[in-house]
């Protein structure tokens, strides 16, 4: 009987998302409390704000059947510690046996993304706007350079994947490494021509 209840609960989580968000059925993820579901912009994962010990985190819970490159994510977790000024901090990655889904637990960044900043720039005086644009270019360059020095190619660079950790001074970080690849000599010769 207990197995049937667990199966029903998993079905509810995967089931009718239009009637209610899945956090009505799942209140916890591992040792974290789920605060709310964040509307997903892509088809690969469900996103949640979670909390543990009064600290808020971001949970990316990959949909069933979506298998990210877990070894790359584990490498990125270690790399994110070294270059945390340019990349979102990745705290944990893995596979949850109960939900049968891969996950990432990330730093929660609440200041929006580069597309949000782009909308704000319209209201700035020209000189300030130019200074901010120069900073954006420099921040993105340093982030990509840091990734490349650690043999990672992002491959999905767009305003939504560049978050604002701090507005003053401006500090941007890269996120969403779902289609990133490890760079090696032979791979770079083949793939850089196909991008």
């Amino acid at each position: 009987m207990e197995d049937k209840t667990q199966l029903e609960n998993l079905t509810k989580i995967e089931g009718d998302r239009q009637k209610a968000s899945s956090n009505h059925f799942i209140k916890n993820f591992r040792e974290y409390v789920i605060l709310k579901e964040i509307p997903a912009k892509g088809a690969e994962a469900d996103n949640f704000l979670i909390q543990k010990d009064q600290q808020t985190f971001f949970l990316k819970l990959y949909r069933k059947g979506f298998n990210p490159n877990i070894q790359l994510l584990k490498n990125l977790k270690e790399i994110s510690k070294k270059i945390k000024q340019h990349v979102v901090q990745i705290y944990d990655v893995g596979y949850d046996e109960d939900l049968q889904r891969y996950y990432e637990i990330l730093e929660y960044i609440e200041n929006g993304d580069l597309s949000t900043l782009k909308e704000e720039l319209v209201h700035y005086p020209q000189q300030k706007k130019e200074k901010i644009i120069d900073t954006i270019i420099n921040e993105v360059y340093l982030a990509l350079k840091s990734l490349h020095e650690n043999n990672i190619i992002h491959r999905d660079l767009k305003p939504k994947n560049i978050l604002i950790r701090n507005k003053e001074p401006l500090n941007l970080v890269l996120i969403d490494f779902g289609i990133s690849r490890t760079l090696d000599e032979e791979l770079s010769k083949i793939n850089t021509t196909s991008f």
Side-chain angles (χ1 to χ4, degrees), residues 18-47:
Q18 293 177 345
K19 287 184 182 175
S21 69
S22 58
N23 63 346
H24 289 155
F25 300 109
I26 177 174
K27 299 290 185 195
N28 297 301
F29 178 77
R30 299 179 163 246
E31 65 272 10
Y32 298 85
V33 174
I34 293 181
L35 299 177
K36 71 176 186 175
E37 184 172 2
I38 299 171
K41 294 181 173 125
E44 68 185 35
D46 297 310
N47 303 315

Side-chain angles (χ1 to χ4, degrees), residues 80-100:
S80 78
K81 293 175 189 174
K82 294 190 321 189
I83 59 171
K84 61 184 170 187
Q85 68 273 26
H86 302 299
V87 173
V88 68
Q89 182 74 47
I90 302 171
Y91 295 108
D92 194 13
V93 298
Y95 183 77
D96 185 81
E97 291 291 340
D98 293 335
L99 297 177
Q100 298 178 359

